[in-house]
């Protein structure tokens, strides 16, 4: 029997969704770090700060999109 | 709405922006059994249509709570007599919870009280009380009744107090922080002590702001994020949080490489919080005022009623008056429910419901409306509609539903605002990438400044600079104003129209009304009274020698004697016309109706003949002397009848359907608004044209059968016209439904049953003009609001993103961005409040009493018709 949360998502769907938005956000961070390395000359603190800020913003953008996508897919 | 579907309006708490609207709507429409969900930000309400077999109120409420918002039901506390044990508590609780619309019941046997949370749109307090009585208990008194109105006002005042308190905390601290940060500029160092510029002091001063007044944004955004929802709070939280965090890092670890001790941004975090809270405070202050009209309507609901039961006069709560109760009303009292006067006479002020400025005289047999004010006399009336069925309850429901509905123009705004938060964060990320990798290296100048401050960016560093612009984009882009633009104006517009007796059934009706270019009036019962009256009396000069008035009265008397016992509408019109002129009408000695021709009667030896040419010819009455007049009357669409006494022609009487008061004025005003005015009728072309000439109708659609009216409207629409149909809500229902806007006129107290998109409470055609003016004023306001709101975002986002930095070396600081955002939201609300000044151009000073003589001043004498 599947366990459903109040918002109508089972654990599997939530896990899939979390993997998706975390993965996308980490990909953005990776892109940032790679670009910083390619261009070069950035202080380490700036790169770390930039990576953290990119991760936060990416999570904010991808989390609702991914949650809603998987929720809809689950319901259909 | 499907046949088995239910509709419920719920009050929602915690909505702050248009993206909240989108989230709740999505959550509701995802729910199985919900067919339609519309959420209104300004009204803080959700209107849900659902199949009760598939879902219920508790699931709907749960779905809303799941996405992080509150459902705020109404609350009532009763004293329940006889409820003493735990068993009784259970009986009351279960009995009430089975009632549709009841959310939760707390029964306490020790105190003998029950508190009920319920949705007033589904179940009334009267039904709740009746259920308790049906369970075998008695409801002694209402201890506390917090209706939706009080709760909404309380919640708003609580919000005003809360944000006001936070302003008292954060503004003085933020100003001190600002002075400390800018101590080195201008002559501030003379007045500002040195220790205030110390980063640790600034840190200590900023921390209480971020963790006090600013903490609500972190809590709210976390609550939303848990449910996968990004709202406005997230924009604030990321902005404040990032500015503060950088300040803390650069204060505690200046060598960490984030810009050092000169780039602490504490003043940004503090002033950003202060401005956002100022905006929230101003918004709470002004938001409630757009719903003043509905508040005034709700305040009209009387609290008590005096009824006669078992021969005794007792006072009961107004919502407990039963149908057929005999209700007493004294001068100066409000009428508690709708009914019909059984005894007494008075003048009643109905202005609060109809907009009619003059008190209306009421006597036995007249209808009274609950919520109106009795002015002069005392009377008793029989209650015909009580509880949710009263006109006032129906009007409130209609206005509430209209305010909760959504205009097509709003859908674009909602779509933009709903996806805006994510788009803004994506933009902030792009801006950060751009300035980090491209912009800083190419354009950064250490001497560049924040706009409107002397503060240079100095040693800010690549991360600090990019982060700063990224935060500014987050703060400056807040779509509060876009979300508020349409619903706030719709709320104010529907409320204002209701004050003038015009009820729009939805925001889409307002939008459609504002776009009309043609108005079609039904003739009978709309433009005209729908009952014939005597319009002309022309005596035969050769028969009468006395004054004209006497001759007119004599002809009228002869005709009325002949028709006194007739049941024909034309005959009734003649008798009524005579009585209204004060002419005595005795009974005829005998009378005979001649179908298709007229009537003959005898009175005191005098033989009276009344009828058409054919009858006159058959009775050998010479009628040629007045034939030309009769033909002229017929050409005007009237029915002319010859009157003869003892075979000698006495005169001609014309009977016709007469125009309603203000028909001509209403059509004139519609022409002034640039609309084409048409008339639709089943009458023959000649009669229709005659009426149309008098009212100055542009186009006549004559000889149209009732069932074909809708088809005619369709034909007009096929010509590309946006058509309003004005008619009786019952008889003209198909045409009203077919028209772009159906306007049902003169519904009186039965507003909810009317077909049509707009309902006029009174039978005053000028209200059609009021509806047009109100709709146009509202849509004007909507467009102005959208222009400013979108304009603000379109202009501010590129500035915030640093588009002009390469040219001017100026950056908008996050705190200035917050100020601009607050100003845009407040300016939209203030602009909406200007709708309060709306007054229809149609003047009502000339209002005349309800009953006007149906005789027109066109009586003539001696064979010469005068006008």
């Amino acid at each position: 029997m599947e366990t459903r949360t109040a918002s109508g998502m089972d654990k599997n769907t939530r896990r899939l969704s979390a993997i998706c938005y975390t993965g996308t956000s980490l990909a953005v961070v990776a892109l940032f770090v790679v670009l910083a390395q390619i261009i070069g000359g950035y202080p380490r603190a700036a790169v770390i700060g930039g990576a953290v800020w990119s991760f936060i913003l990416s999570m904010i953008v991808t989390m609702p999109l991914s949650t809603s996508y998987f929720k809809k897919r689950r319901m259909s | 709405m499907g046949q088995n579907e239910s509709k419920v309006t719920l009050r929602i708490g915690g909505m702050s922006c248009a993206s909240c609207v989108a989230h709740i709507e999505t959550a509701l429409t995802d729910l199985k059994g919900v067919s339609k969900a519309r959420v209104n930000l300004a009204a803080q309400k959700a209107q849900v249509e659902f199949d009760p077999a598939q879902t219920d109120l508790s699931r709907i409420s749960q779905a809303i709570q799941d996405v992080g918002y509150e459902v705020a039901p109404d609350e009532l506390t009763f004293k329940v007599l006889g409820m003493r044990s735990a068993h009784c508590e259970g009986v009351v609780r279960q009995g009430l919870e089975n009632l549709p619309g009841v959310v939760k019941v707390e029964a306490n046997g020790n105190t003998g009280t029950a508190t009920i949370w319920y949705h007033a749109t589904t179940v009334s307090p009267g039904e709740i009380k009746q259920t308790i009585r049906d369970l075998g208990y008695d409801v002694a008194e209402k201890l506390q009744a917090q209706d939706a109105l009080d709760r909404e006002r309380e919640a708003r005042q609580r919000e005003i107090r809360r944000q006001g308190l936070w302003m008292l905390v954060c503004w003085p601290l933020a100003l001190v922080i600002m002075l400390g940060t800018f101590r080195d500029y201008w002559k501030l160092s003379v007045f500002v002590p040195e220790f205030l510029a110390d980063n640790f002091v600034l840190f200590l001063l900023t921390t209480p702001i971020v963790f006090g007044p600013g903490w609500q944004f972190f809590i709210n955004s976390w609550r939303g994020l848990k449910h996968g929802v990004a709202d406005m709070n997230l924009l604030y939280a990321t902005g404040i949080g990032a500015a503060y965090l950088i300040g803390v890092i650069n204060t505690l670890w200046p060598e960490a490489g984030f810009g050092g001790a000169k780039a602490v941004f504490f003043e940004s975090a503090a002033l950003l919080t202060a401005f956002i809270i100022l905006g929230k405070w101003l918004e709470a202050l002004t938001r409630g005022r757009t719903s003043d009209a509905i508040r005034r309507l709700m305040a009209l609901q009387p609290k008590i009623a005096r009824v006669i039961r078992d021969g005794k006069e007792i006072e009961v709560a107004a919502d407990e008056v039963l149908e057929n109760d005999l209700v007493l009303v004294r001068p100066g009292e409000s009428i508690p429910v709708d009914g019909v006067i059984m005894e007494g006479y008075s003048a009643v002020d109905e202005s609060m419901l109809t907009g009619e400025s003059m008190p209306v005289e009421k006597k036995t047999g007249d209808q009274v409306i609950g919520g109106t004010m009795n002015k002069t006399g005392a009377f008793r009336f029989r209650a015909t509609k009580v509880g949710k069925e009263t006109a006032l309850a129906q009007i409130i429901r209609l206005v509430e539903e209209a305010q909760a509905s959504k205009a097509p123009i709003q859908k674009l705004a909602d779509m933009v605002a709903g996806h805006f938060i994510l788009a803004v964060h994506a933009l902030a990320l792009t801006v950060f990438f751009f300035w980090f990798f491209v912009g800083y290296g190419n354009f950064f100048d250490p001497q560049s400044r924040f706009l409107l401050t002397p503060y240079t960016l100095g040693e800010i560093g690549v991360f600090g600079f990019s982060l700063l612009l990224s935060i500014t984009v987050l703060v400056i882009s807040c779509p509060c104003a876009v979300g508020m633009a349409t619903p706030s104006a719709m709320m104010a517009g529907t409320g204002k129209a209701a004050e003038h007796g015009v009820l729009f059934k939805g925001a889409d009706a307002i939008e459609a009304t504002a776009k009309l270019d043609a108005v079609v009036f039904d003739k009978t019962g709309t433009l005209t009274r729908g009952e014939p009256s005597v319009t002309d009396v022309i005596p035969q000069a050769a028969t009468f020698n006395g004054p004209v008035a006497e001759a007119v009265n004599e002809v009228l008397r002869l005709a009325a004697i002949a028709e006194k016992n007739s049941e024909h509408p034309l005959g009734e019109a003649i008798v009524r016309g005579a009585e209204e002129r004060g002419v005595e009408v005795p009974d005829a000695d005998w009378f005979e109706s001649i179908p298709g021709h007229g009537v003959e009667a005898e009175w005191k030896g005098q033989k009276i003949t009344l009828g058409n040419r054919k009858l006159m010819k058959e009775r050998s009455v010479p009628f040629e002397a007045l034939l030309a007049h009769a033909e002229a009357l017929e050409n005007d669409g009237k029915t002319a009848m010859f009157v003869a006494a003892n075979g000698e022609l006495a005169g001609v009487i014309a009977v016709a359907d007469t125009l309603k008061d203000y028909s001509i004025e209403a059509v004139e005003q519609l022409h002034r608004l640039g609309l084409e005015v048409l008339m639709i009728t089943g009458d023959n072309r000649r009669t229709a044209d005659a009426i149309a000439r008098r009212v100055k109708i542009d186009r006549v659609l004559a000889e149209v059968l009732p069932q074909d009216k809708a088809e005619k409207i369709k034909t007009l629409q096929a010509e590309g016209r946006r058509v309003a149909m004005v008619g009786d809500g019952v008889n003209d229902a198909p045409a009203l439904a077919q028209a772009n806007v159906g306007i049902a006129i003169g519904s009186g107290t039965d507003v909810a049953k009317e077909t049509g998109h707009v309902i006029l409470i009174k039978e005053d055609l000028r209200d059609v003009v009021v509806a047009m003016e109100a709709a146009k004023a509202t849509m004007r306001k909507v467009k102005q609001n959208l222009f400013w709101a979108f304009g603000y975002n379109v202009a501010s986002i590129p500035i915030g993103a640093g588009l002009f930095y390469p040219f001017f070396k100026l950056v908008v600081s996050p705190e200035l961005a917050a100020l601009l955002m607050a100003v845009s939201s407040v300016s939209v609300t203030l602009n909406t409040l200007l709708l309060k000044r709306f007054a229809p151009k149609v003047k009502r000073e000339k209002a005349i009493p309800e009953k006007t003589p149906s005789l027109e001043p066109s009586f003539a004498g001696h064979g010469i018709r005068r006008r």
Side-chain angles (χ1 to χ4, degrees):
Chain A
M1 203 176 85
E2 65 181 15
T3 317
R4 293 193 68 148
T5 64
S7 52
M9 284 176 76
D10 60 71
K11 268 186 180 172
N12 261 347
T13 316
R14 276 158 65 98
R15 197 175 297 136
L16 259 177
S17 170
I19 290 170
C20 180
Y21 60 71
T22 314
T24 314
S25 303
L26 287 173
V28 173
V29 170
L31 176 72
F32 177 83
V33 174
V34 168
L35 277 174
Q37 295 306 319
I38 291 169
I39 295 168
Y42 291 103
R44 180 176 288 186
V47 176
I48 294 170
V52 171
W53 185 240
S54 302
F55 182 73
I56 292 171
L57 291 182
S58 305
M59 284 287 276
I60 288 172
V61 175
T62 53
M63 194 193 276
L65 289 177
S66 162
T67 309
S68 126
Y69 170 76
F70 281 101
K71 198 194 275 182
K72 271 189 189 145
R73 211 177 71 157
R74 173 79 184 81
M75 289 182 93
S76 62
Chain B
M1 199 169 76
Q3 269 194 329
N4 298 322
E5 291 211 321
S6 297
K7 186 155 78 173
V8 68
T9 304
L10 305 171
R11 282 170 206 285
I12 311 284
M15 283 197 288
S16 56
C17 61
S19 62
C20 306
V21 171
H23 295 313
I24 297 174
E25 282 183 352
T26 310
L28 287 172
T29 43
D30 281 352
L31 202 65
K32 198 179 170 194
V34 171
S35 57
K36 203 169 178 186
R38 285 179 298 188
V39 178
N40 186 305
L41 174 65
Q44 299 271 302
K45 282 176 193 163
Q47 201 180 74
V48 191
E49 287 175 22
F50 64 100
D51 179 1
Q54 296 191 57
T55 190
D56 54 23
L57 260 177
S58 62
R59 282 187 214 166
I60 291 170
S61 303
Q62 190 59 50
I64 296 169
Q65 284 161 8
D66 279 351
V67 284
Y69 302 92
E70 294 161 20
V71 179
D74 298 272
E75 185 186 328
L76 267 177
T77 302
F78 292 121
K79 192 159 185 68
V80 183
L81 297 180
M83 182 180 70
R84 293 187 201 92
S85 63
H87 168 74
C88 296
E89 286 174 13
V91 169
V92 171
R93 192 169 46 244
Q94 274 180 14
L96 289 176
E97 281 179 350
N98 285 337
L99 211 57
V102 171
V103 179
K104 189 177 138 194
V105 178
E106 269 180 16
N108 188 327
N110 295 326
T111 56
T113 57
T115 303
I116 299 109
W117 286 267
Y118 68 104
H119 294 292
T121 49
T122 313
V123 63
S124 71
E127 286 168 309
I128 293 172
K129 281 189 250 179
Q130 191 53 48
T131 306
I132 297 176
R133 288 190 189 110
D134 291 345
L135 291 167
Y137 302 92
D138 201 7
V139 184
E141 60 185 310
K142 191 190 286 183
L143 290 180
Q144 182 194 3
Q146 259 200 322
D147 58 21
L149 172 71
D150 298 335
R151 289 168 63 78
E152 191 266 333
R153 186 189 291 139
E154 263 183 31
R156 196 164 54 83
Q157 279 171 350
R158 238 189 347 259
E159 177 70 1
I160 293 169
R161 269 198 306 273
R162 195 166 73 105
Q163 300 301 352
L165 190 73
W166 285 135
M167 283 218 300
L168 286 177
V169 174
C170 67
W171 270 104
L173 283 173
L175 289 173
V176 172
I177 292 164
M178 195 176 75
L179 288 173
T181 307
F182 300 128
R183 186 178 177 274
D184 296 338
Y185 297 92
W186 196 51
K187 292 174 183 172
L188 286 178
S189 56
V190 180
F191 312 102
V192 181
E194 197 178 347
F195 77 90
L196 275 183
D198 186 274
N199 283 351
F200 279 97
V201 174
L202 292 175
F203 162 65
L204 289 175
L205 291 172
T206 309
T207 303
I209 295 180
V210 174
F211 290 95
W215 194 240
Q216 54 182 311
F217 307 123
F218 294 94
I219 297 280
N220 291 340
S221 47
W222 172 241
R223 199 180 58 179
L225 274 178
K226 271 199 306 186
H227 299 284
V229 169
D231 67 3
M232 224 71 82
N233 290 294
L234 193 58
L235 290 179
Y236 305 148
T238 39
I240 297 167
Y244 177 73
L245 202 63
I246 289 298
V248 173
I249 293 171
N250 284 342
T251 302
L252 301 179
W253 302 283
E255 304 305 321
F258 290 106
K262 290 282 180 187
V264 287
F265 300 136
F266 282 128
E267 91 292 350
S268 285
L271 284 169
L272 184 54
T273 313
F275 278 123
I276 293 168
I277 286 179
L278 172 71
K280 281 197 158 282
W281 180 74
L282 287 173
E283 201 181 299
L285 211 62
T286 50
R287 181 184 278 178
R289 296 194 185 157
T290 56
S291 58
D292 270 359
I294 189 86
R295 189 165 286 119
R296 273 200 291 273
L297 277 174
M298 286 173 128
L300 289 177
Q301 288 177 314
K303 298 276 181 251
I304 56 157
R306 259 179 298 110
V307 298
I308 296 174
R309 284 183 192 162
D310 303 324
K312 283 182 195 162
E313 184 185 317
I314 54 165
E315 267 190 14
V316 295
D319 57 18
E320 286 184 54
V321 176
L322 304 172
E323 213 175 308
N324 288 323
D325 265 345
L326 201 58
V327 185
L328 287 159
V329 185
R330 292 187 184 134
E333 287 181 349
S334 284
I335 296 167
V337 293
D338 298 354
V340 177
I341 296 188
M342 306 303 288
E343 189 188 330
Y345 173 87
S346 186
V348 175
D349 180 2
E350 295 183 341
S351 59
M352 53 286 277
L353 287 184
T354 65
E356 179 62 65
S357 58
M358 303 283 284
V360 182
E361 287 183 19
K362 299 283 180 182
K363 57 184 186 307
T364 306
D366 285 346
Q367 263 196 348
V368 285
I369 311 172
T372 55
M373 178 63 75
N374 178 32
K375 303 292 275 189
T376 50
F379 59 85
R380 292 170 181 217
F381 72 95
R382 173 93 44 212
T384 53
K385 281 181 186 151
V386 296
K388 286 190 288 186
E389 300 305 315
T390 62
L392 180 60
Q394 291 179 43
I395 290 169
I396 290 171
R397 194 159 65 240
L398 268 185
V399 175
E400 277 191 323
E401 282 178 8
Q403 291 186 339
S405 69
K406 206 167 275 187
I409 198 169
Q410 195 181 331
K411 285 175 188 155
L412 169 72
D414 274 2
M415 195 192 72
V416 172
H419 298 92
F420 208 70
I421 307 288
L422 294 184
V424 166
H425 279 90
L427 182 68
L429 185 63
T430 312
V431 166
F432 180 77
F433 266 59
F434 172 81
W435 285 104
F436 194 91
F437 293 118
V438 183
Y440 185 84
N442 290 309
F443 307 112
F444 182 71
D445 175 0
Q447 292 307 310
S448 53
R449 285 185 294 113
F450 283 126
L451 193 64
L452 302 179
T453 67
Y455 190 39
T456 53
L457 293 170
E459 303 157 21
I460 193 166
V462 61
F463 171 68
F465 185 72
S466 311
L467 180 73
L468 196 73
L469 287 167
S470 184
I471 293 172
T472 303
V473 167
L474 287 179
V475 177
I476 212 165
S477 311
C478 176
C480 287
V482 175
M484 288 295 292
T486 308
S488 66
M490 287 295 175
M491 271 185 81
T494 45
K496 202 71 201 172
E499 280 179 19
H500 292 279
V502 176
L503 303 175
F504 286 96
K505 275 197 174 172
D508 48 349
I510 293 197
E511 193 171 339
T513 305
K515 287 178 182 166
L516 292 171
D517 46 29
V519 180
V520 181
F521 282 98
D522 171 49
K523 191 201 105 195
T524 310
T526 303
L527 277 175
T528 66
R529 291 178 194 281
E531 59 176 33
S533 358
V534 176
T535 57
D536 305 75
V537 179
I538 306 169
Q540 164 66 326
T543 311
F544 301 99
N545 297 320
V548 178
E550 274 181 26
V552 165
N553 285 351
E554 186 54 24
V555 173
L556 206 49
R557 192 165 67 97
L558 289 169
I561 290 169
E563 292 280 17
K564 189 161 184 189
N565 294 309
S566 163
E567 287 177 359
H568 194 281
L570 296 180
E572 285 173 2
I574 290 172
V575 176
R576 202 170 50 246
E579 285 170 352
E580 281 171 3
R581 297 269 297 176
V583 175
E584 198 185 326
V585 185
D587 286 329
D589 298 328
W590 69 264
F591 89 101
E592 189 187 354
S593 174
I594 307 156
H597 292 74
V599 64
E600 272 188 315
E602 194 174 293
W603 175 67
K604 287 187 178 175
Q606 207 174 15
K607 193 177 178 188
I608 306 166
T609 310
L610 173 72
N612 56 18
R613 295 173 182 81
K614 205 172 173 189
L615 184 66
M616 294 298 132
K617 271 182 196 162
E618 280 175 12
R619 300 295 183 266
S620 306
V621 177
F623 61 92
E624 290 74 16
L626 292 179
L627 186 59
H629 290 293
E631 282 173 354
L633 291 167
E634 283 166 351
N635 283 336
D636 277 351
K638 298 169 182 174
T639 305
M641 287 171 281
F642 294 96
V643 187
N646 292 329
E648 207 177 318
L649 185 66
V652 172
I653 287 186
V655 175
D657 194 359
T658 50
L659 287 176
K660 272 189 188 168
D661 302 323
Y662 313 120
S663 291
I664 296 172
E665 192 184 340
V667 173
E668 263 175 24
Q669 295 288 337
L670 289 171
H671 281 146
R672 178 180 59 80
L673 293 175
L675 293 150
E676 186 188 7
V677 185
L678 297 91
M679 185 179 83
I680 195 163
T681 176
D683 288 356
N684 62 56
R685 171 66 59 181
R686 193 173 65 176
T687 310
D689 283 343
I691 293 283
R693 270 198 304 276
R694 289 173 60 197
V695 194
K696 297 195 178 87
I697 294 283
D698 301 312
R699 206 173 354 153
V700 178
L701 308 171
E703 294 166 23
V704 181
L705 295 172
Q707 61 269 31
D708 296 336
K709 283 182 182 173
E711 206 52 45
K712 283 281 174 192
I713 299 289
K714 214 184 263 181
T715 312
L716 287 169
Q717 288 169 324
E719 290 171 13
R721 321 301 304 267
R722 286 186 294 263
V723 185
M725 166 79 196
V726 186
D728 180 286
V730 181
N731 298 334
D732 300 317
L736 291 177
Q738 174 61 42
N740 297 76
V741 178
I743 303 178
I745 189 161
S747 57
T749 56
D750 227 354
V751 291
K753 285 183 186 164
E754 294 289 352
T755 312
H757 313 94
V758 182
I759 290 165
L760 310 181
I761 298 173
K762 282 180 294 145
E763 276 200 46
D764 187 336
L765 280 183
R766 294 176 303 176
D767 283 345
V768 176
V769 185
V770 174
M772 304 283 166
E773 288 180 342
K776 280 177 192 284
T778 306
M779 288 314 295
R780 221 171 14 246
K781 208 48 81 183
V782 167
K783 284 173 188 164
Q784 284 170 6
N785 283 353
L786 284 176
F787 174 80
W788 289 115
F790 274 119
Y792 161 80
N793 275 332
V794 167
S796 61
I797 291 174
I799 297 171
L803 190 71
F804 301 113
Y805 179 79
F807 315 107
F808 304 107
K809 304 294 178 201
L810 284 171
V811 179
V812 177
S813 62
E815 56 265 38
L816 183 61
L819 174 68
L820 290 173
M821 184 272 295
V823 167
S824 81
S825 304
V826 172
S827 64
V828 160
T829 316
L830 288 177
N831 187 40
T832 295
L833 287 178
L834 292 178
L835 256 186
K836 280 183 149 195
R837 297 192 303 191
F838 168 78
K841 288 202 173 75
V842 180
K843 300 288 179 199
R844 289 196 195 284
E845 284 84 59
K846 290 180 283 181
I848 57 170
E850 264 192 336
K851 293 249 173 195
T852 50
S854 56
L855 284 170
E856 293 187 341
S858 58
F859 292 96
H862 299 287
I864 303 159
R865 199 151 64 99
R866 293 176 200 155
R867 281 201 174 270

